[in-house]
Coordinates of all heavy atoms in Angstrom, one line a residue:
E1 N -133.8 183.0 -43.8 CA -133.9 184.4 -43.4 C -132.8 184.7 -42.3 O -132.2 185.7 -42.4 CB -135.3 184.7 -42.9 CG -135.5 186.2 -42.6 CD -137.0 186.5 -42.4 OE1 -137.8 185.6 -42.5 OE2 -137.2 187.6 -42.1
M2 N -132.6 183.7 -41.4 CA -131.6 183.9 -40.4 C -130.2 184.0 -41.0 O -129.3 184.7 -40.5 CB -131.7 182.8 -39.3 CG -133.0 183.0 -38.5 SD -133.2 181.8 -37.1 CE -132.4 180.4 -37.6
A3 N -130.0 183.2 -42.0 CA -128.7 183.2 -42.7 C -128.4 184.5 -43.3 O -127.3 185.1 -43.3 CB -128.6 182.1 -43.7
W4 N -129.4 185.1 -43.9 CA -129.3 186.5 -44.5 C -129.0 187.5 -43.5 O -128.1 188.3 -43.7 CB -130.6 186.8 -45.2 CG -130.7 188.3 -45.6 CD1 -130.1 188.9 -46.7 CD2 -131.5 189.3 -45.0 NE1 -130.4 190.2 -46.7 CE2 -131.2 190.5 -45.7 CE3 -132.3 189.3 -43.9 CZ2 -131.8 191.7 -45.3 CZ3 -132.9 190.5 -43.5 CH2 -132.6 191.7 -44.2
E5 N -129.7 187.4 -42.3 CA -129.4 188.4 -41.2 C -127.9 188.3 -40.8 O -127.3 189.3 -40.5 CB -130.3 188.1 -40.1 CG -131.8 188.5 -40.4 CD -132.8 188.1 -39.3 OE1 -132.4 187.4 -38.3 OE2 -133.9 188.5 -39.4
E6 N -127.5 187.0 -40.6 CA -126.1 186.9 -40.2 C -125.1 187.4 -41.2 O -124.1 188.0 -40.9 CB -125.8 185.3 -40.0 CG -126.4 184.8 -38.7 CD -125.8 185.3 -37.4 OE1 -124.6 185.6 -37.4 OE2 -126.5 185.5 -36.5
A7 N -125.4 187.2 -42.5 CA -124.5 187.6 -43.6 C -124.5 189.2 -43.6 O -123.4 189.8 -43.9 CB -125.0 187.1 -44.9
V8 N -125.6 189.8 -43.4 CA -125.7 191.3 -43.4 C -125.0 191.9 -42.2 O -124.3 192.9 -42.3 CB -127.2 191.7 -43.5 CG1 -127.3 193.2 -43.3 CG2 -127.8 191.4 -44.8
E9 N -125.1 191.2 -41.1 CA -124.5 191.7 -39.8 C -123.0 191.5 -39.8 O -122.3 192.1 -39.0 CB -125.2 191.1 -38.6 CG -126.6 191.6 -38.4 CD -127.3 190.9 -37.3 OE1 -126.7 190.0 -36.6 OE2 -128.4 191.2 -37.0
D10 N -122.5 190.6 -40.6 CA -121.0 190.3 -40.6 C -120.3 191.5 -41.2 O -120.2 191.7 -42.3 CB -120.8 189.0 -41.4 CG -119.3 188.6 -41.3 OD1 -118.6 189.2 -40.4 OD2 -118.9 187.7 -42.0
E11 N -119.7 192.3 -40.3 CA -119.0 193.5 -40.7 C -117.7 193.3 -41.4 O -117.1 194.1 -42.1 CB -118.8 194.4 -39.5 CG -120.0 194.6 -38.7 CD -120.3 196.1 -38.3 OE1 -119.3 196.8 -38.5 OE2 -121.4 196.4 -37.9
D12 N -117.1 192.0 -41.3 CA -115.8 191.7 -41.9 C -115.9 191.4 -43.3 O -114.9 191.2 -44.0 CB -115.1 190.6 -41.1 CG -114.8 191.0 -39.7 OD1 -114.6 192.2 -39.4 OD2 -114.7 190.1 -38.8
S13 N -117.1 191.2 -43.9 CA -117.3 190.7 -45.2 C -117.9 191.8 -46.1 O -118.5 192.8 -45.6 CB -118.1 189.4 -45.3 OG -119.5 189.8 -45.1
A14 N -118.0 191.5 -47.4 CA -118.6 192.4 -48.3 C -120.1 191.9 -48.6 O -120.7 192.2 -49.6 CB -117.9 192.5 -49.6
H15 N -120.6 191.2 -47.6 CA -121.9 190.5 -47.6 C -122.0 189.5 -48.8 O -123.1 189.2 -49.2 CB -123.0 191.6 -47.8 CG -123.0 192.7 -46.7 ND1 -123.1 192.4 -45.4 CD2 -122.7 194.0 -46.8 CE1 -123.0 193.5 -44.7 NE2 -122.8 194.5 -45.5
E16 N -120.9 189.0 -49.2 CA -120.8 187.9 -50.1 C -120.6 186.6 -49.4 O -119.9 186.5 -48.5 CB -119.7 188.1 -51.2 CG -119.9 189.3 -52.1 CD -118.8 189.4 -53.1 OE1 -118.0 188.5 -53.3 OE2 -118.8 190.5 -53.7
V17 N -121.4 185.6 -49.9 CA -121.2 184.2 -49.2 C -121.1 183.2 -50.3 O -121.6 183.3 -51.4 CB -122.4 183.9 -48.3 CG1 -122.5 184.9 -47.1 CG2 -123.7 183.9 -49.1
T18 N -120.5 182.1 -49.9 CA -120.5 180.9 -50.7 C -121.1 179.8 -49.9 O -121.4 180.1 -48.7 CB -119.0 180.5 -51.1 OG1 -118.3 180.2 -49.9 CG2 -118.3 181.5 -51.9
A19 N -121.3 178.7 -50.4 CA -122.0 177.6 -49.6 C -121.1 177.3 -48.4 O -121.5 177.2 -47.2 CB -122.1 176.4 -50.4
K20 N -119.8 177.2 -48.6 CA -118.9 176.9 -47.5 C -118.8 178.0 -46.4 O -118.8 177.8 -45.2 CB -117.5 176.6 -48.0 CG -117.4 175.2 -48.8 CD -116.0 174.9 -49.3 CE -116.0 173.6 -50.0 NZ -114.7 173.2 -50.4
S21 N -118.7 179.3 -46.9 CA -118.6 180.4 -46.0 C -119.9 180.5 -45.2 O -119.9 181.0 -44.0 CB -118.3 181.7 -46.7 OG -119.3 182.2 -47.5
L22 N -121.0 180.2 -45.7 CA -122.3 180.3 -45.1 C -122.4 179.2 -43.9 O -122.8 179.5 -42.8 CB -123.5 180.1 -46.0 CG -124.9 180.4 -45.4 CD1 -125.0 181.8 -45.0 CD2 -125.9 180.1 -46.5
I23 N -121.8 178.0 -44.2 CA -121.8 177.0 -43.1 C -120.9 177.5 -42.0 O -121.2 177.4 -40.8 CB -121.2 175.7 -43.7 CG1 -122.2 175.1 -44.7 CG2 -121.0 174.7 -42.6 CD1 -123.5 174.5 -44.1
E24 N -119.7 178.1 -42.3 CA -118.8 178.5 -41.3 C -119.4 179.7 -40.5 O -119.2 179.8 -39.3 CB -117.5 179.0 -42.0 CG -116.7 177.9 -42.5 CD -115.5 178.3 -43.3 OE1 -115.2 179.6 -43.3 OE2 -114.9 177.5 -44.0
L25 N -120.2 180.5 -41.2 CA -120.8 181.7 -40.5 C -121.9 181.2 -39.5 O -121.9 181.7 -38.4 CB -121.4 182.6 -41.6 CG -122.2 183.8 -41.1 CD1 -121.2 184.8 -40.5 CD2 -122.9 184.5 -42.2
I26 N -122.7 180.3 -39.9 CA -123.8 179.9 -39.1 C -123.4 178.8 -38.1 O -123.8 178.9 -36.9 CB -124.9 179.4 -40.0 CG1 -125.5 180.5 -40.8 CG2 -126.1 178.7 -39.2 CD1 -126.5 180.1 -41.8
H27 N -122.6 177.8 -38.5 CA -122.3 176.7 -37.6 C -120.9 176.8 -36.9 O -120.6 175.9 -36.1 CB -122.5 175.4 -38.3 CG -123.8 175.1 -38.8 ND1 -124.9 174.9 -37.9 CD2 -124.4 175.0 -40.0 CE1 -126.0 174.7 -38.6 NE2 -125.7 174.8 -39.9
A28 N -120.1 177.7 -37.4 CA -118.8 177.9 -36.8 C -117.9 176.7 -37.0 O -117.1 176.4 -36.1 CB -118.9 178.3 -35.3
H29 N -118.0 176.0 -38.1 CA -117.1 175.0 -38.4 C -117.0 174.9 -39.9 O -117.8 175.4 -40.7 CB -117.5 173.6 -37.8 CG -118.8 173.0 -38.4 ND1 -118.8 172.4 -39.6 CD2 -120.0 172.9 -37.9 CE1 -120.0 172.0 -39.9 NE2 -120.8 172.3 -38.9
S30 N -115.9 174.2 -40.4 CA -115.7 174.1 -41.8 C -116.8 173.1 -42.4 O -117.2 172.2 -41.7 CB -114.4 173.5 -42.1 OG -113.4 174.4 -41.7
A31 N -117.2 173.4 -43.6 CA -118.3 172.6 -44.2 C -117.8 171.3 -44.8 O -116.7 171.3 -45.4 CB -118.9 173.4 -45.3
S32 N -118.5 170.2 -44.5 CA -118.2 169.0 -45.2 C -118.7 169.1 -46.6 O -119.4 170.0 -47.0 CB -118.9 167.8 -44.5 OG -120.3 167.9 -44.7
A33 N -118.3 168.1 -47.5 CA -118.7 168.1 -48.9 C -120.2 168.1 -49.0 O -120.8 168.8 -49.8 CB -118.0 167.0 -49.6
I34 N -120.9 167.3 -48.2 CA -122.3 167.1 -48.2 C -123.0 168.4 -47.8 O -124.0 168.8 -48.4 CB -122.8 165.9 -47.4 CG1 -122.3 164.6 -48.1 CG2 -124.3 165.9 -47.2 CD1 -122.6 163.3 -47.4
E35 N -122.5 169.0 -46.7 CA -123.1 170.2 -46.2 C -123.0 171.3 -47.2 O -123.9 172.1 -47.5 CB -122.4 170.7 -44.9 CG -122.7 169.9 -43.7 CD -121.9 170.3 -42.5 OE1 -120.7 170.6 -42.6 OE2 -122.5 170.4 -41.4
A36 N -121.8 171.4 -47.9 CA -121.6 172.4 -48.9 C -122.6 172.2 -50.1 O -123.1 173.2 -50.6 CB -120.1 172.4 -49.4
Y37 N -122.7 171.0 -50.5 CA -123.6 170.7 -51.6 C -125.0 171.0 -51.2 O -125.8 171.7 -52.0 CB -123.5 169.2 -52.0 CG -124.5 168.8 -53.0 CD1 -124.4 169.2 -54.3 CD2 -125.7 168.1 -52.6 CE1 -125.4 168.8 -55.3 CE2 -126.6 167.7 -53.5 CZ -126.5 168.1 -54.9 OH -127.4 167.7 -55.8
K38 N -125.5 170.7 -50.1 CA -126.9 170.9 -49.7 C -127.1 172.5 -49.5 O -128.2 173.0 -49.9 CB -127.2 170.2 -48.3 CG -127.4 168.8 -48.5 CD -127.8 168.1 -47.2 CE -128.1 166.6 -47.3 NZ -128.5 166.0 -46.1
T39 N -126.1 173.1 -49.0 CA -126.2 174.6 -48.9 C -126.3 175.3 -50.2 O -127.0 176.2 -50.5 CB -125.1 175.1 -48.0 OG1 -125.1 174.5 -46.8 CG2 -125.2 176.6 -47.8
W40 N -125.4 174.8 -51.2 CA -125.4 175.3 -52.5 C -126.8 175.1 -53.2 O -127.3 176.1 -53.8 CB -124.3 174.6 -53.3 CG -124.3 175.2 -54.7 CD1 -124.8 174.6 -55.9 CD2 -123.7 176.4 -55.1 NE1 -124.5 175.4 -57.0 CE2 -123.8 176.5 -56.5 CE3 -123.0 177.4 -54.4 CZ2 -123.4 177.6 -57.2 CZ3 -122.5 178.5 -55.2 CH2 -122.7 178.5 -56.6
R41 N -127.4 174.0 -53.0 CA -128.7 173.7 -53.5 C -129.8 174.6 -52.9 O -130.6 175.1 -53.6 CB -129.1 172.2 -53.3 CG -128.3 171.2 -54.0 CD -128.6 171.2 -55.5 NE -130.0 171.1 -55.8 CZ -130.6 170.1 -56.5 NH1 -129.8 169.1 -57.0 NH2 -131.9 170.1 -56.7
L42 N -129.7 174.9 -51.6 CA -130.6 175.8 -50.9 C -130.4 177.2 -51.4 O -131.4 177.8 -51.7 CB -130.3 175.7 -49.4 CG -131.2 176.7 -48.6 CD1 -132.7 176.2 -48.6 CD2 -130.7 176.7 -47.2
L43 N -129.2 177.7 -51.6 CA -129.0 179.0 -52.1 C -129.5 179.2 -53.6 O -129.7 180.3 -54.0 CB -127.5 179.4 -52.0 CG -127.0 179.6 -50.6 CD1 -125.4 179.6 -50.6 CD2 -127.5 180.9 -50.1
R44 N -129.7 178.1 -54.3 CA -130.2 178.2 -55.7 C -131.7 178.2 -55.8 O -132.2 178.4 -56.9 CB -129.6 177.1 -56.5 CG -128.1 177.1 -56.7 CD -127.6 178.2 -57.5 NE -128.3 178.3 -58.7 CZ -127.8 178.2 -59.9 NH1 -126.6 177.9 -60.1 NH2 -128.6 178.4 -61.0
T45 N -132.4 178.0 -54.7 CA -133.9 178.0 -54.7 C -134.5 179.4 -54.9 O -133.8 180.4 -54.7 CB -134.4 177.4 -53.4 OG1 -134.1 178.3 -52.3 CG2 -133.9 176.0 -53.1
D46 N -135.7 179.4 -55.3 CA -136.4 180.7 -55.5 C -136.5 181.4 -54.2 O -136.4 182.7 -54.1 CB -137.8 180.5 -56.1 CG -137.8 180.0 -57.5 OD1 -136.8 180.3 -58.2 OD2 -138.8 179.5 -58.0
A47 N -136.8 180.7 -53.1 CA -136.9 181.4 -51.8 C -135.6 182.0 -51.3 O -135.6 183.1 -50.8 CB -137.3 180.3 -50.7
A48 N -134.5 181.4 -51.6 CA -133.2 182.0 -51.3 C -132.9 183.2 -52.1 O -132.2 184.2 -51.6 CB -132.1 180.9 -51.5
H49 N -133.4 183.3 -53.3 CA -133.2 184.5 -54.2 C -133.9 185.7 -53.6 O -133.7 186.8 -54.1 CB -133.6 184.2 -55.6 CG -132.6 183.4 -56.3 ND1 -132.8 182.0 -56.6 CD2 -131.4 183.7 -56.8 CE1 -131.7 181.6 -57.2 NE2 -130.8 182.6 -57.3
V50 N -134.8 185.5 -52.7 CA -135.5 186.6 -52.0 C -134.4 187.4 -51.2 O -134.4 188.6 -51.1 CB -136.6 186.2 -51.1 CG1 -137.1 187.3 -50.2 CG2 -137.8 185.6 -51.9
F51 N -133.5 186.6 -50.6 CA -132.5 187.2 -49.7 C -131.1 187.4 -50.3 O -130.3 188.2 -49.9 CB -132.3 186.3 -48.5 CG -133.6 186.1 -47.8 CD1 -134.4 185.0 -47.9 CD2 -134.0 187.1 -46.9 CE1 -135.5 184.8 -47.2 CE2 -135.2 186.9 -46.2 CZ -136.0 185.8 -46.4
F52 N -130.7 186.6 -51.3 CA -129.4 186.6 -51.9 C -129.4 186.8 -53.4 O -130.3 186.2 -54.1 CB -128.6 185.4 -51.6 CG -128.4 185.1 -50.1 CD1 -129.2 184.4 -49.3 CD2 -127.3 185.8 -49.5 CE1 -129.0 184.2 -48.0 CE2 -127.1 185.6 -48.1 CZ -127.9 184.8 -47.4
K53 N -128.5 187.5 -53.9 CA -128.4 187.7 -55.4 C -127.2 186.9 -55.9 O -126.1 186.9 -55.2 CB -128.1 189.2 -55.7 CG -127.9 189.5 -57.1 CD -127.5 191.0 -57.3 CE -127.2 191.3 -58.7 NZ -126.7 192.6 -59.0
E54 N -127.3 186.2 -57.0 CA -126.2 185.5 -57.5 C -125.1 186.4 -58.1 O -125.4 187.4 -58.7 CB -126.7 184.6 -58.7 CG -127.6 183.5 -58.3 CD -128.1 182.6 -59.4 OE1 -127.9 183.0 -60.6 OE2 -128.7 181.6 -59.1
I55 N -123.9 186.0 -57.8 CA -122.7 186.7 -58.4 C -122.1 185.7 -59.4 O -121.8 184.6 -59.0 CB -121.7 187.0 -57.3 CG1 -122.3 188.0 -56.3 CG2 -120.4 187.6 -57.9 CD1 -121.5 188.3 -55.1
K56 N -122.0 186.1 -60.6 CA -121.5 185.3 -61.7 C -120.1 185.7 -62.2 O -119.8 186.9 -62.2 CB -122.5 185.2 -62.8 CG -123.8 184.6 -62.4 CD -124.8 184.5 -63.6 CE -126.1 183.9 -63.2 NZ -127.0 183.7 -64.3
D57 N -119.4 184.7 -62.6 CA -118.1 185.0 -63.3 C -118.1 184.2 -64.5 O -118.1 182.9 -64.5 CB -116.9 184.6 -62.3 CG -115.6 184.9 -62.9 OD1 -115.5 185.8 -63.8 OD2 -114.6 184.2 -62.5
H58 N -118.1 184.8 -65.7 CA -118.2 184.2 -67.0 C -119.4 183.2 -67.1 O -119.3 182.1 -67.6 CB -116.9 183.4 -67.3 CG -115.7 184.3 -67.2 ND1 -115.4 185.2 -68.2 CD2 -114.6 184.3 -66.4 CE1 -114.3 185.8 -67.9 NE2 -113.8 185.3 -66.9
G59 N -120.5 183.7 -66.6 CA -121.8 183.0 -66.6 C -121.9 181.8 -65.6 O -123.0 181.2 -65.6
R60 N -121.0 181.7 -64.7 CA -121.0 180.6 -63.7 C -121.3 181.3 -62.3 O -120.5 182.3 -62.0 CB -119.7 179.9 -63.7 CG -119.7 178.7 -62.8 CD -118.4 177.9 -63.0 NE -118.3 177.0 -61.9 CZ -117.3 177.0 -61.0 NH1 -116.3 177.9 -61.1 NH2 -117.2 176.1 -60.0
V61 N -122.2 180.8 -61.6 CA -122.4 181.3 -60.2 C -121.3 180.9 -59.3 O -121.0 179.7 -59.2 CB -123.8 180.8 -59.7 CG1 -124.0 181.3 -58.3 CG2 -124.9 181.2 -60.6
V62 N -120.6 182.0 -58.8 CA -119.5 181.7 -57.9 C -119.7 182.1 -56.4 O -119.0 181.6 -55.6 CB -118.2 182.4 -58.4 CG1 -117.8 181.9 -59.8 CG2 -118.5 183.9 -58.5
A63 N -120.7 182.9 -56.2 CA -121.1 183.3 -54.8 C -122.4 183.9 -54.8 O -123.1 184.1 -55.9 CB -120.0 184.3 -54.3
F64 N -122.8 184.4 -53.6 CA -124.1 185.1 -53.5 C -123.9 186.3 -52.6 O -123.0 186.3 -51.7 CB -125.1 184.1 -52.8 CG -125.4 182.9 -53.6 CD1 -124.6 181.8 -53.5 CD2 -126.5 182.9 -54.5 CE1 -124.9 180.7 -54.3 CE2 -126.8 181.8 -55.2 CZ -126.0 180.7 -55.1
K65 N -124.6 187.3 -52.9 CA -124.5 188.6 -52.1 C -125.8 188.8 -51.4 O -126.9 188.8 -52.0 CB -124.2 189.7 -53.1 CG -123.9 191.1 -52.3 CD -123.4 192.1 -53.3 CE -123.3 193.4 -52.6 NZ -122.0 193.7 -52.0
A66 N -125.7 189.2 -50.2 CA -126.9 189.4 -49.3 C -127.5 190.7 -49.9 O -126.8 191.8 -50.0 CB -126.5 189.6 -47.9
K67 N -128.8 190.7 -50.1 CA -129.5 191.9 -50.5 C -129.7 192.9 -49.4 O -129.7 192.5 -48.2 CB -130.9 191.5 -51.1 CG -130.8 190.7 -52.4 CD -132.2 190.4 -53.0 CE -132.1 189.7 -54.3 NZ -133.4 189.4 -54.8
T68 N -130.0 194.1 -49.7 CA -130.4 195.1 -48.7 C -131.7 194.8 -48.1 O -132.5 194.0 -48.7 CB -130.4 196.5 -49.3 OG1 -131.4 196.6 -50.2 CG2 -129.1 196.9 -49.8
E69 N -132.0 195.4 -46.9 CA -133.3 195.1 -46.3 C -134.5 195.5 -47.2 O -135.5 194.8 -47.3 CB -133.4 195.9 -44.9 CG -134.6 195.5 -44.1 CD -134.6 196.0 -42.7 OE1 -133.5 196.6 -42.3 OE2 -135.5 196.0 -42.0
K70 N -134.4 196.7 -47.8 CA -135.4 197.2 -48.7 C -135.6 196.2 -49.9 O -136.8 195.9 -50.2 CB -135.2 198.6 -49.2 CG -136.3 199.2 -50.0 CD -136.0 200.6 -50.2 CE -137.2 201.2 -51.1 NZ -138.0 202.2 -50.4
A71 N -134.5 195.7 -50.4 CA -134.7 194.8 -51.6 C -135.3 193.5 -51.1 O -136.1 192.9 -51.9 CB -133.3 194.6 -52.2
V72 N -135.0 193.1 -49.9 CA -135.6 191.8 -49.4 C -137.1 192.0 -49.2 O -137.9 191.1 -49.6 CB -134.9 191.4 -48.1 CG1 -135.7 190.3 -47.4 CG2 -133.5 190.9 -48.4
E73 N -137.5 193.1 -48.7 CA -138.9 193.4 -48.5 C -139.7 193.3 -49.8 O -140.7 192.7 -49.9 CB -139.1 194.7 -47.8 CG -138.7 194.8 -46.4 CD -138.9 196.2 -45.8 OE1 -139.6 197.0 -46.3 OE2 -138.2 196.5 -44.8
N74 N -139.1 194.0 -50.8 CA -139.8 194.0 -52.1 C -139.8 192.6 -52.7 O -140.8 192.2 -53.4 CB -139.0 195.0 -53.1 CG -139.2 196.4 -52.6 OD1 -140.2 196.8 -52.0 ND2 -138.3 197.3 -53.0
A75 N -138.6 191.9 -52.7 CA -138.6 190.5 -53.2 C -139.5 189.6 -52.5 O -140.1 188.7 -53.2 CB -137.2 190.0 -53.1
K76 N -139.7 189.8 -51.2 CA -140.6 188.9 -50.4 C -142.0 189.1 -50.9 O -142.8 188.2 -51.0 CB -140.4 189.1 -48.9 CG -141.1 188.1 -48.1 CD -141.0 188.4 -46.6 CE -139.7 188.1 -46.0 NZ -139.6 188.2 -44.5
K77 N -142.4 190.4 -51.0 CA -143.7 190.7 -51.5 C -144.0 190.1 -52.9 O -145.0 189.5 -53.1 CB -144.0 192.2 -51.6 CG -144.1 192.9 -50.2 CD -144.3 194.4 -50.4 CE -144.2 195.1 -49.1 NZ -144.2 196.6 -49.2
A78 N -143.1 190.2 -53.8 CA -143.2 189.7 -55.1 C -143.3 188.1 -55.1 O -144.1 187.5 -55.8 CB -142.1 190.1 -56.0
F79 N -142.4 187.5 -54.2 CA -142.4 186.1 -54.1 C -143.7 185.6 -53.6 O -144.3 184.6 -54.1 CB -141.3 185.7 -53.2 CG -141.1 184.2 -52.9 CD1 -140.5 183.4 -53.9 CD2 -141.6 183.7 -51.8 CE1 -140.4 182.0 -53.6 CE2 -141.5 182.3 -51.5 CZ -140.9 181.5 -52.4
C80 N -144.3 186.2 -52.5 CA -145.4 185.7 -51.8 C -146.7 186.0 -52.6 O -147.8 185.4 -52.3 CB -145.5 186.3 -50.4 SG -144.2 185.7 -49.4
T81 N -146.7 186.9 -53.6 CA -148.0 187.2 -54.3 C -148.2 186.1 -55.4 O -149.3 186.0 -56.0 CB -147.9 188.6 -55.0 OG1 -146.8 188.7 -55.8 CG2 -148.0 189.6 -53.9
K82 N -147.2 185.3 -55.7 CA -147.3 184.3 -56.7 C -148.1 183.1 -56.1 O -147.8 182.7 -55.0 CB -146.0 183.8 -57.2 CG -145.2 184.8 -58.0 CD -143.9 184.2 -58.4 CE -143.1 185.2 -59.2 NZ -141.7 184.7 -59.6
P83 N -149.1 182.6 -56.8 CA -150.0 181.6 -56.2 C -149.2 180.3 -55.8 O -149.5 179.7 -54.8 CB -151.0 181.3 -57.4 CG -150.9 182.5 -58.2 CD -149.6 183.1 -58.1
E84 N -148.2 179.9 -56.6 CA -147.4 178.7 -56.3 C -146.6 178.8 -55.0 O -146.1 177.8 -54.5 CB -146.5 178.3 -57.5 CG -145.4 179.3 -57.8 CD -145.8 180.3 -58.9 OE1 -147.0 180.6 -59.1 OE2 -144.9 180.9 -59.5
N85 N -146.4 180.1 -54.5 CA -145.6 180.3 -53.3 C -146.4 180.6 -52.1 O -145.9 180.8 -51.0 CB -144.6 181.4 -53.5 CG -143.6 181.1 -54.6 OD1 -143.3 180.0 -54.9 ND2 -143.2 182.1 -55.3
A86 N -147.8 180.5 -52.2 CA -148.7 181.0 -51.1 C -148.5 180.1 -49.9 O -148.7 180.6 -48.8 CB -150.1 180.9 -51.6
E87 N -148.1 178.8 -50.0 CA -148.0 178.0 -48.9 C -146.6 177.9 -48.3 O -146.3 177.2 -47.3 CB -148.4 176.5 -49.2 CG -149.9 176.4 -49.6 CD -150.8 176.8 -48.5 OE1 -150.6 176.4 -47.3 OE2 -151.8 177.6 -48.8
E88 N -145.7 178.7 -48.9 CA -144.2 178.7 -48.4 C -144.2 179.3 -47.0 O -144.9 180.3 -46.7 CB -143.4 179.5 -49.3 CG -143.1 178.9 -50.6 CD -142.1 177.8 -50.6 OE1 -141.2 177.8 -49.7 OE2 -142.1 177.0 -51.5
E89 N -143.4 178.7 -46.1 CA -143.2 179.3 -44.7 C -142.8 180.8 -44.7 O -143.2 181.5 -43.9 CB -142.1 178.5 -44.0 CG -142.6 177.1 -43.5 CD -141.5 176.5 -42.7 OE1 -140.9 177.1 -41.7 OE2 -141.2 175.3 -43.0
L90 N -142.0 181.1 -45.7 CA -141.6 182.5 -45.8 C -142.7 183.5 -45.9 O -142.7 184.6 -45.4 CB -140.7 182.6 -47.1 CG -140.1 183.9 -47.4 CD1 -139.2 184.4 -46.4 CD2 -139.4 183.8 -48.8
C91 N -143.9 183.0 -46.4 CA -145.0 183.9 -46.7 C -146.0 183.9 -45.5 O -147.0 184.6 -45.6 CB -145.8 183.5 -47.9 SG -144.7 183.6 -49.4
W92 N -145.8 183.1 -44.5 CA -146.7 183.0 -43.4 C -146.7 184.2 -42.4 O -147.6 184.5 -41.8 CB -146.5 181.8 -42.6 CG -146.8 180.5 -43.3 CD1 -147.4 180.4 -44.6 CD2 -146.6 179.2 -42.9 NE1 -147.5 179.1 -44.9 CE2 -147.0 178.3 -43.9 CE3 -146.0 178.7 -41.7 CZ2 -146.9 177.0 -43.8 CZ3 -146.0 177.3 -41.6 CH2 -146.4 176.5 -42.7
V93 N -145.6 184.9 -42.4 CA -145.4 186.1 -41.5 C -146.2 187.3 -42.0 O -146.3 187.6 -43.1 CB -144.0 186.4 -41.3 CG1 -143.8 187.5 -40.3 CG2 -143.2 185.2 -40.8

């Protein structure tokens, strides 16, 4: 959620992020290969899809776009109403 807030507040971007740009945005350093891989895996989770939409090029995910606040609220409600997600930290608030 904090990553989404940072991506939305970044006025210099089109609210699009990649694994490497997300590391740079949050940690202020270039991403190592392992950090980029772990971030990519995180961005592909169902919980991350509450905040980010996949951007595809020829069927391949190339980046993610931060969703609007209203879209996040709606996605969070839908995500948290599923029984399998009831114990997710995202749904505790």
Side-chain angles (χ1 to χ4, degrees):
E1 190 168 357
M2 293 186 327
W4 167 75
E5 290 172 354
E6 288 290 326
V8 170
E9 290 176 2
D10 186 9
E11 307 228 347
D12 295 334
S13 75
H15 306 297
E16 290 183 13
V17 295
T18 62
K20 289 182 178 183
S21 69
L22 190 60
I23 295 289
E24 290 174 10
L25 179 68
I26 294 174
H27 296 294
H29 69 77
S30 296
S32 70
I34 291 175
E35 286 175 321
Y37 173 74
K38 287 182 176 183
T39 303
W40 182 259
R41 293 290 306 243
L42 177 67
L43 287 167
R44 296 293 311 244
T45 65
D46 288 340
H49 284 102
V50 169
F51 301 99
F52 296 97
K53 176 183 175 188
E54 292 180 347
I55 298 174
K56 296 183 179 183
D57 183 24
H58 301 294
R60 183 173 170 245
V61 178
V62 294
F64 297 84
K65 184 172 176 93
K67 292 181 178 180
T68 64
E69 188 172 351
K70 184 172 179 116
V72 167
E73 288 175 23
N74 292 335
K76 193 184 278 189
K77 285 178 188 174
F79 178 80
C80 292
T81 57
K82 293 181 181 177
E84 64 268 20
N85 299 329
E87 297 298 317
E88 292 280 339
E89 282 184 50
L90 179 62
C91 301
W92 292 355
V93 179

